[in-house]
Amino acid sequence: MKDRSLTMKTLYHDRSLGFAHAQNTKAIQQLRKQLTNEHEQSVELTLISCFLFIIFDFFFGDDVSSHAHLKAGIKILKGRLPLDGGGDTILEAPSIQNAAISELAHLFTVMDLHAAIWLGISSFQLPPLTDVNNGLLAIRPSSSFLSLEDACDSLCFHMMRTHVFHHSLVAYESRAHLDGTPFHVLARKEEYLFNLRTWSPALDTLLETIPLTTETARRVTLLRMVHVSIFINLSTLLQPSGINKYHQYSSDFGQIVDLAKGLLRPASTENRADLLRIIAINNAERGPKDLPMFAFLAGAIQPLHMVADKCCDTRICYEAIGLLEEKPWREGAWDSTVMANIARRKLQERNVGAC
Protein backbone atom coordinates (compact mmCIF):
# COMPACT_ATOMS: atom_id res chain seq x y z
CA MET A 1 0.00 0.00 0.00
CA LYS A 2 1.16 3.52 -0.76
CA ASP A 3 0.98 4.81 2.82
CA ARG A 4 2.76 1.70 4.07
CA SER A 5 5.56 2.26 1.59
CA LEU A 6 5.96 5.79 2.89
CA THR A 7 6.42 4.42 6.37
CA MET A 8 8.97 1.84 5.28
CA LYS A 9 10.88 4.43 3.26
CA THR A 10 11.16 6.67 6.32
CA LEU A 11 12.30 3.73 8.45
CA TYR A 12 14.87 2.77 5.82
CA HIS A 13 16.61 6.12 6.19
CA ASP A 14 16.67 5.85 9.98
CA ARG A 15 16.94 2.28 11.28
CA SER A 16 16.79 3.52 14.86
CA LEU A 17 13.09 4.20 14.31
CA GLY A 18 12.40 0.46 14.02
CA PHE A 19 12.03 -0.08 17.77
CA ALA A 20 9.89 3.05 18.12
CA HIS A 21 7.69 1.85 15.26
CA ALA A 22 7.15 -1.53 16.94
CA GLN A 23 6.25 0.10 20.26
CA ASN A 24 3.97 2.52 18.47
CA THR A 25 2.08 -0.40 16.90
CA LYS A 26 1.62 -2.03 20.31
CA ALA A 27 0.44 1.26 21.82
CA ILE A 28 -2.15 1.75 19.09
CA GLN A 29 -3.46 -1.79 19.64
CA GLN A 30 -3.89 -1.10 23.36
CA LEU A 31 -5.51 2.25 22.63
CA ARG A 32 -8.04 0.64 20.30
CA LYS A 33 -8.94 -1.84 23.05
CA GLN A 34 -9.61 1.04 25.42
CA LEU A 35 -11.77 2.83 22.86
CA THR A 36 -13.94 -0.27 22.36
CA ASN A 37 -14.41 -0.74 26.13
CA GLU A 38 -17.79 0.83 26.87
CA HIS A 39 -17.04 1.04 30.61
CA GLU A 40 -13.92 3.15 30.13
CA GLN A 41 -15.00 5.44 27.31
CA SER A 42 -14.81 9.20 27.76
CA VAL A 43 -14.82 12.23 25.49
CA GLU A 44 -11.36 13.20 26.70
CA LEU A 45 -9.94 9.75 25.88
CA THR A 46 -11.53 9.82 22.44
CA LEU A 47 -10.13 13.27 21.68
CA ILE A 48 -6.67 12.35 22.94
CA SER A 49 -6.85 9.26 20.74
CA CYS A 50 -7.75 11.42 17.75
CA PHE A 51 -4.78 13.62 18.51
CA LEU A 52 -2.41 10.64 18.73
CA PHE A 53 -3.74 9.14 15.51
CA ILE A 54 -3.30 12.50 13.77
CA ILE A 55 0.35 12.61 14.85
CA PHE A 56 1.06 8.96 14.05
CA ASP A 57 -0.55 9.11 10.62
CA PHE A 58 1.16 12.39 9.81
CA PHE A 59 4.57 11.02 10.76
CA PHE A 60 3.92 7.99 8.56
CA GLY A 61 3.03 10.12 5.56
CA ASP A 62 -0.67 9.21 5.63
CA ASP A 63 -2.06 12.73 5.50
CA VAL A 64 -5.48 11.47 4.35
CA SER A 65 -6.05 9.45 7.54
CA SER A 66 -4.52 12.24 9.63
CA HIS A 67 -6.97 14.66 8.02
CA ALA A 68 -9.90 12.32 8.82
CA HIS A 69 -8.94 12.10 12.51
CA LEU A 70 -8.59 15.90 12.66
CA LYS A 71 -12.08 16.30 11.22
CA ALA A 72 -13.49 13.75 13.69
CA GLY A 73 -11.90 15.47 16.68
CA ILE A 74 -13.21 18.91 15.70
CA LYS A 75 -16.69 17.45 15.14
CA ILE A 76 -16.67 15.97 18.65
CA LEU A 77 -15.48 19.26 20.14
CA LYS A 78 -18.19 21.22 18.36
CA GLY A 79 -20.77 18.95 19.95
CA ARG A 80 -19.32 19.53 23.41
CA LEU A 81 -18.70 23.25 23.40
CA PRO A 82 -21.35 25.91 24.06
CA LEU A 83 -22.09 28.26 21.20
CA ASP A 84 -21.06 31.82 21.97
CA GLY A 85 -23.78 34.24 21.01
CA GLY A 86 -22.68 35.52 17.65
CA GLY A 87 -19.00 35.87 18.53
CA ASP A 88 -15.99 35.21 16.36
CA THR A 89 -15.34 31.87 18.07
CA ILE A 90 -17.46 29.05 19.47
CA LEU A 91 -16.08 29.34 22.97
CA GLU A 92 -14.60 31.84 25.32
CA ALA A 93 -12.14 30.61 27.95
CA PRO A 94 -14.17 31.60 31.06
CA SER A 95 -17.19 29.60 29.86
CA ILE A 96 -15.31 26.29 29.74
CA GLN A 97 -15.92 24.08 32.75
CA ASN A 98 -13.62 21.25 31.65
CA ALA A 99 -9.99 22.36 31.46
CA ALA A 100 -9.03 19.32 29.39
CA ILE A 101 -11.68 20.08 26.77
CA SER A 102 -10.50 23.70 26.64
CA GLU A 103 -6.87 22.66 26.09
CA LEU A 104 -7.87 20.11 23.46
CA ALA A 105 -9.97 22.72 21.65
CA HIS A 106 -6.94 24.99 21.41
CA LEU A 107 -4.75 22.09 20.29
CA PHE A 108 -7.13 21.01 17.52
CA THR A 109 -7.55 24.62 16.42
CA VAL A 110 -3.79 25.03 15.99
CA MET A 111 -3.49 21.71 14.12
CA ASP A 112 -6.37 22.65 11.83
CA LEU A 113 -4.71 25.98 11.14
CA HIS A 114 -1.38 24.40 10.21
CA ALA A 115 -3.11 21.82 8.03
CA ALA A 116 -4.94 24.57 6.15
CA ILE A 117 -1.80 26.67 5.68
CA TRP A 118 0.93 24.11 4.99
CA LEU A 119 -0.91 21.07 3.63
CA GLY A 120 -3.30 23.09 1.46
CA ILE A 121 -6.53 21.63 2.83
CA SER A 122 -9.75 23.31 3.88
CA SER A 123 -10.38 24.30 7.48
CA PHE A 124 -13.07 22.43 9.41
CA GLN A 125 -13.79 25.37 11.69
CA LEU A 126 -16.61 27.78 10.98
CA PRO A 127 -16.54 29.62 13.32
CA PRO A 128 -13.16 28.72 14.84
CA LEU A 129 -13.26 26.71 18.06
CA THR A 130 -11.10 29.16 19.96
CA ASP A 131 -8.66 32.02 19.55
CA VAL A 132 -5.11 30.92 18.68
CA ASN A 133 -3.51 34.23 19.58
CA ASN A 134 -3.12 33.67 23.33
CA GLY A 135 -1.42 37.04 23.71
CA LEU A 136 1.47 36.14 21.39
CA LEU A 137 0.93 39.28 19.34
CA ALA A 138 0.67 41.65 22.27
CA ILE A 139 4.19 43.06 21.77
CA ARG A 140 5.18 43.99 18.25
CA PRO A 141 8.93 43.87 17.49
CA SER A 142 10.73 46.93 16.17
CA SER A 143 10.90 47.49 12.41
CA SER A 144 14.68 48.10 12.70
CA PHE A 145 17.08 45.47 14.01
CA LEU A 146 20.05 45.74 16.35
CA SER A 147 20.88 42.03 16.08
CA LEU A 148 20.00 38.94 14.11
CA GLU A 149 17.89 37.83 17.08
CA ASP A 150 15.75 40.94 16.53
CA ALA A 151 15.24 39.89 12.90
CA CYS A 152 14.25 36.37 14.01
CA ASP A 153 11.76 37.73 16.55
CA SER A 154 10.27 40.07 13.97
CA LEU A 155 9.87 37.30 11.39
CA CYS A 156 8.27 35.05 14.01
CA PHE A 157 5.83 37.87 14.76
CA HIS A 158 4.93 38.25 11.07
CA MET A 159 4.48 34.50 10.69
CA MET A 160 2.24 34.20 13.75
CA ARG A 161 0.22 37.25 12.74
CA THR A 162 -0.31 35.75 9.28
CA HIS A 163 -1.45 32.48 10.87
CA VAL A 164 -3.89 34.31 13.16
CA PHE A 165 -5.19 36.40 10.24
CA HIS A 166 -5.63 33.25 8.15
CA HIS A 167 -7.51 31.72 11.06
CA SER A 168 -9.91 34.67 11.18
CA LEU A 169 -10.77 34.37 7.47
CA VAL A 170 -12.46 30.96 7.54
CA ALA A 171 -15.92 32.48 7.05
CA TYR A 172 -14.82 34.52 4.02
CA GLU A 173 -12.63 31.89 2.32
CA SER A 174 -15.41 29.30 2.54
CA ARG A 175 -17.56 31.37 0.18
CA ALA A 176 -17.71 30.61 -3.53
CA HIS A 177 -17.18 34.32 -4.26
CA LEU A 178 -15.15 36.74 -2.19
CA ASP A 179 -16.85 39.94 -3.40
CA GLY A 180 -18.55 40.35 -0.03
CA THR A 181 -15.34 40.50 2.00
CA PRO A 182 -15.51 43.59 4.26
CA PHE A 183 -13.22 46.47 3.35
CA HIS A 184 -11.56 46.51 6.78
CA VAL A 185 -10.47 42.87 6.28
CA LEU A 186 -8.93 43.64 2.88
CA ALA A 187 -7.27 46.75 4.34
CA ARG A 188 -5.76 44.69 7.16
CA LYS A 189 -4.27 42.28 4.65
CA GLU A 190 -2.65 45.15 2.74
CA GLU A 191 -1.31 46.61 5.98
CA TYR A 192 0.24 43.27 6.93
CA LEU A 193 1.79 42.92 3.47
CA PHE A 194 3.24 46.42 3.68
CA ASN A 195 4.77 45.69 7.09
CA LEU A 196 6.13 42.34 5.89
CA ARG A 197 7.82 44.01 2.92
CA THR A 198 9.81 46.23 5.31
CA TRP A 199 11.43 43.20 6.96
CA SER A 200 13.90 42.42 4.16
CA PRO A 201 15.29 45.98 3.82
CA ALA A 202 15.65 46.14 7.62
CA LEU A 203 17.64 42.90 7.53
CA ASP A 204 19.86 44.24 4.73
CA THR A 205 20.58 47.35 6.81
CA LEU A 206 21.53 45.17 9.78
CA LEU A 207 23.89 43.04 7.68
CA GLU A 208 25.86 46.16 6.77
CA THR A 209 26.74 46.62 10.44
CA ILE A 210 27.63 43.09 11.61
CA PRO A 211 30.37 40.61 10.59
CA LEU A 212 29.15 38.22 7.87
CA THR A 213 30.38 34.90 9.24
CA THR A 214 29.47 31.49 7.78
CA GLU A 215 26.99 30.96 10.60
CA THR A 216 25.39 34.37 10.00
CA ALA A 217 25.11 33.68 6.26
CA ARG A 218 23.38 30.34 6.87
CA ARG A 219 21.00 31.84 9.43
CA VAL A 220 20.11 34.64 7.01
CA THR A 221 19.52 32.17 4.16
CA LEU A 222 17.08 30.22 6.32
CA LEU A 223 15.30 33.41 7.41
CA ARG A 224 14.91 34.56 3.80
CA MET A 225 13.36 31.20 2.83
CA VAL A 226 10.80 31.54 5.61
CA HIS A 227 10.16 35.20 4.75
CA VAL A 228 9.34 34.42 1.11
CA SER A 229 7.00 31.59 2.16
CA ILE A 230 5.14 33.93 4.54
CA PHE A 231 4.87 36.53 1.79
CA ILE A 232 3.30 34.01 -0.61
CA ASN A 233 0.92 32.74 2.07
CA LEU A 234 -0.24 36.22 3.00
CA SER A 235 -0.47 37.44 -0.61
CA THR A 236 -2.74 34.56 -1.66
CA LEU A 237 -5.20 34.91 1.22
CA LEU A 238 -8.71 35.97 0.18
CA GLN A 239 -8.16 34.80 -3.38
CA PRO A 240 -10.28 32.12 -5.09
CA SER A 241 -9.17 28.60 -4.19
CA GLY A 242 -7.10 26.52 -6.57
CA ILE A 243 -3.60 26.23 -7.92
CA ASN A 244 -4.13 29.19 -10.27
CA LYS A 245 -3.75 31.73 -7.50
CA TYR A 246 -0.09 30.73 -7.14
CA HIS A 247 0.72 31.16 -10.84
CA GLN A 248 2.24 34.64 -10.46
CA TYR A 249 4.55 33.51 -7.65
CA SER A 250 6.66 31.01 -9.62
CA SER A 251 9.72 33.26 -9.36
CA ASP A 252 9.24 33.50 -5.59
CA PHE A 253 8.96 29.71 -5.34
CA GLY A 254 12.12 29.47 -7.44
CA GLN A 255 13.88 31.85 -5.05
CA ILE A 256 13.08 29.53 -2.12
CA VAL A 257 14.57 26.57 -4.02
CA ASP A 258 17.72 28.53 -4.95
CA LEU A 259 18.21 29.59 -1.32
CA ALA A 260 17.65 25.99 -0.18
CA LYS A 261 20.32 24.67 -2.54
CA GLY A 262 22.90 26.92 -0.92
CA LEU A 263 21.74 25.85 2.52
CA LEU A 264 21.33 22.08 2.04
CA ARG A 265 24.35 21.28 -0.12
CA PRO A 266 26.60 19.43 0.15
CA ALA A 267 24.04 16.83 1.22
CA SER A 268 26.11 15.41 4.04
CA THR A 269 25.54 14.32 7.61
CA GLU A 270 27.64 17.27 8.78
CA ASN A 271 25.53 19.70 6.77
CA ARG A 272 22.26 18.39 8.24
CA ALA A 273 23.66 18.53 11.78
CA ASP A 274 24.69 22.15 11.24
CA LEU A 275 21.30 22.91 9.66
CA LEU A 276 19.51 21.73 12.81
CA ARG A 277 21.87 23.84 14.91
CA ILE A 278 21.01 26.91 12.82
CA ILE A 279 17.28 26.18 13.07
CA ALA A 280 17.60 25.87 16.84
CA ILE A 281 19.40 29.23 17.09
CA ASN A 282 16.85 30.98 14.87
CA ASN A 283 14.04 29.54 17.01
CA ALA A 284 15.70 30.72 20.24
CA GLU A 285 16.68 27.21 21.34
CA ARG A 286 20.09 26.34 22.78
CA GLY A 287 20.71 23.40 20.45
CA PRO A 288 19.11 20.74 18.22
CA LYS A 289 18.31 18.54 21.22
CA ASP A 290 16.14 21.33 22.62
CA LEU A 291 13.89 21.50 19.55
CA PRO A 292 10.36 20.35 20.52
CA MET A 293 9.47 17.08 18.77
CA PHE A 294 5.89 18.08 17.96
CA ALA A 295 6.55 21.72 17.04
CA PHE A 296 5.91 23.02 13.50
CA LEU A 297 9.21 24.86 13.29
CA ALA A 298 10.11 27.58 10.83
CA GLY A 299 12.98 25.67 9.23
CA ALA A 300 13.78 24.52 5.71
CA ILE A 301 11.24 21.70 5.29
CA GLN A 302 8.19 23.91 5.65
CA PRO A 303 9.04 26.34 2.80
CA LEU A 304 10.25 23.53 0.51
CA HIS A 305 7.07 21.53 1.00
CA MET A 306 5.06 24.66 0.23
CA VAL A 307 6.97 25.03 -3.06
CA ALA A 308 6.42 21.38 -4.00
CA ASP A 309 2.74 21.53 -3.08
CA LYS A 310 1.67 24.87 -4.51
CA CYS A 311 4.01 26.01 -7.30
CA CYS A 312 2.58 25.86 -10.83
CA ASP A 313 5.96 25.11 -12.42
CA THR A 314 6.44 21.33 -12.17
CA ARG A 315 10.19 21.67 -12.71
CA ILE A 316 10.48 23.81 -9.58
CA CYS A 317 8.17 21.42 -7.69
CA TYR A 318 10.35 18.42 -8.45
CA GLU A 319 13.48 20.38 -7.55
CA ALA A 320 11.98 21.06 -4.12
CA ILE A 321 11.00 17.39 -3.71
CA GLY A 322 14.52 16.35 -4.72
CA LEU A 323 16.04 18.57 -2.04
CA LEU A 324 13.71 17.11 0.59
CA GLU A 325 14.73 13.58 -0.41
CA GLU A 326 18.43 14.14 -1.04
CA LYS A 327 19.59 13.63 2.55
CA PRO A 328 16.51 13.13 4.78
CA TRP A 329 16.28 15.00 8.07
CA ARG A 330 13.73 16.02 10.71
CA GLU A 331 12.76 19.42 12.12
CA GLY A 332 10.39 19.00 15.04
CA ALA A 333 7.16 17.55 13.59
CA TRP A 334 8.40 17.91 10.02
CA ASP A 335 10.03 14.88 8.33
CA SER A 336 11.57 15.70 4.96
CA THR A 337 10.91 12.24 3.46
CA VAL A 338 7.28 12.22 4.58
CA MET A 339 6.64 15.73 3.28
CA ALA A 340 8.35 14.91 -0.03
CA ASN A 341 6.08 11.89 -0.52
CA ILE A 342 2.97 13.86 0.36
CA ALA A 343 3.94 16.56 -2.13
CA ARG A 344 4.86 14.04 -4.83
CA ARG A 345 1.50 12.29 -4.54
CA LYS A 346 -0.40 15.58 -4.72
CA LEU A 347 1.68 16.73 -7.67
CA GLN A 348 0.88 13.55 -9.56
CA GLU A 349 -2.83 13.91 -8.81
CA ARG A 350 -3.37 17.53 -9.74
CA ASN A 351 -3.78 18.87 -13.25
CA VAL A 352 -0.78 21.16 -13.54
CA GLY A 353 -1.62 21.97 -17.12
CA ALA A 354 -4.53 24.08 -15.88
CA CYS A 355 -2.11 26.68 -14.44
Side-chain angles (χ1 to χ4, degrees):
M1 294 176 63
K2 182 181 294 183
D3 294 324
R4 182 67 177 172
S5 68
L6 295 184
T7 303
M8 292 300 104
K9 186 168 184 178
T10 303
L11 294 176
Y12 174 80
H13 288 295
D14 191 346
R15 297 295 187 182
S16 65
L17 294 177
F19 176 78
H21 180 258
Q23 298 304 309
N24 166 68
T25 301
K26 293 178 182 179
I28 290 178
Q29 291 173 348
Q30 291 298 318
L31 188 57
R32 292 190 187 279
K33 289 181 181 179
Q34 292 292 325
L35 290 174
T36 56
N37 187 337
E38 295 181 359
H39 300 290
E40 298 186 21
Q41 277 189 351
S42 69
V43 174
E44 291 84 355
L45 176 60
T46 303
L47 288 169
I48 292 172
S49 300
C50 283
F51 167 73
L52 292 174
F53 290 145
I54 290 167
I55 296 297
F56 294 152
D57 289 333
F58 179 71
F59 279 177
F60 291 163
D62 186 358
D63 56 313
V64 175
S65 295
S66 182
H67 195 207
H69 290 303
L70 176 62
K71 180 178 182 180
I74 290 178
K75 183 177 180 180
I76 293 170
L77 283 165
K78 284 184 175 180
R80 296 285 297 183
L81 300 174
L83 288 171
D84 185 51
D88 294 330
T89 62
I90 287 183
L91 63 96
E92 301 295 336
S95 67
I96 300 301
Q97 301 298 320
N98 189 322
I101 294 293
S102 177
E103 288 296 323
L104 286 164
H106 177 76
L107 186 62
F108 274 80
T109 296
V110 172
M111 288 193 296
D112 177 75
L113 178 61
H114 278 288
I117 293 174
W118 302 115
L119 298 183
I121 62 177
S122 300
S123 171
F124 291 121
Q125 302 186 63
L126 185 59
L129 292 174
T130 185
D131 183 16
V132 297
N133 187 345
N134 278 4
L136 292 175
L137 303 181
I139 301 177
R140 178 176 174 177
S142 172
S143 58
S144 60
F145 311 138
L146 298 177
S147 67
L148 208 51
E149 283 64 37
D150 288 346
C152 292
D153 290 343
S154 176
L155 191 61
C156 181
F157 171 85
H158 285 296
M159 181 168 62
M160 187 61 194
R161 185 165 68 171
T162 300
H163 289 1
V164 172
F165 184 53
H166 189 153
H167 181 267
S168 70
L169 300 179
V170 176
Y172 306 116
E173 293 207 312
S174 64
R175 300 174 182 174
H177 303 285
L178 301 174
D179 297 339
T181 304
F183 176 78
H184 74 275
V185 174
L186 297 173
R188 189 185 311 168
K189 172 187 171 181
E190 293 305 314
E191 176 192 352
Y192 290 173
L193 276 172
F194 176 81
N195 292 333
L196 183 60
R197 289 189 181 99
T198 66
W199 182 88
S200 191
L203 177 63
D204 292 337
T205 301
L206 170 68
L207 293 177
E208 294 174 357
T209 65
I210 62 175
L212 189 59
T213 63
T214 300
E215 177 180 296
T216 298
R218 286 174 64 77
R219 290 183 65 185
V220 168
T221 298
L222 187 62
L223 288 173
R224 291 195 190 279
M225 286 176 63
V226 175
H227 175 262
V228 176
S229 70
I230 298 172
F231 171 76
I232 297 172
N233 267 324
L234 184 56
S235 298
T236 53
L237 290 179
L238 294 174
Q239 293 188 20
S241 299
I243 197 72
N244 285 317
K245 70 179 182 179
Y246 296 102
H247 183 75
Q248 62 180 306
Y249 299 102
S250 291
S251 61
D252 297 293
F253 286 124
Q255 182 184 357
I256 292 176
V257 170
D258 289 340
L259 289 167
K261 288 177 181 177
L263 188 67
L264 299 175
R265 290 174 175 168
S268 63
T269 302
E270 293 75 18
N271 178 286
R272 294 301 180 264
D274 187 65
L275 171 66
L276 293 179
R277 186 180 66 85
I278 294 300
I279 292 172
I281 296 173
N282 278 3
N283 283 273
E285 301 289 352
R286 289 175 296 178
K289 293 183 178 179
D290 299 308
L291 293 173
M293 182 177 181
F294 296 115
F296 294 92
L297 299 169
I301 295 177
Q302 195 181 70
L304 281 173
H305 175 264
M306 180 184 177
V307 173
D309 183 48
K310 301 187 184 301
C311 183
C312 289
D313 188 327
T314 54
R315 178 187 59 82
I316 296 176
C317 292
Y318 281 114
E319 278 194 281
I321 291 173
L323 288 169
L324 289 169
E325 293 177 330
E326 201 167 33
K327 180 69 176 177
W329 75 100
R330 292 190 61 88
E331 301 169 1
W334 300 111
D335 182 296
S336 68
T337 302
V338 169
M339 301 313 294
N341 278 283
I342 291 173
R344 185 183 296 277
R345 187 177 72 242
K346 289 186 176 181
L347 184 59
Q348 291 170 347
E349 291 175 350
R350 82 187 191 202
N351 182 11
V352 184
C355 293

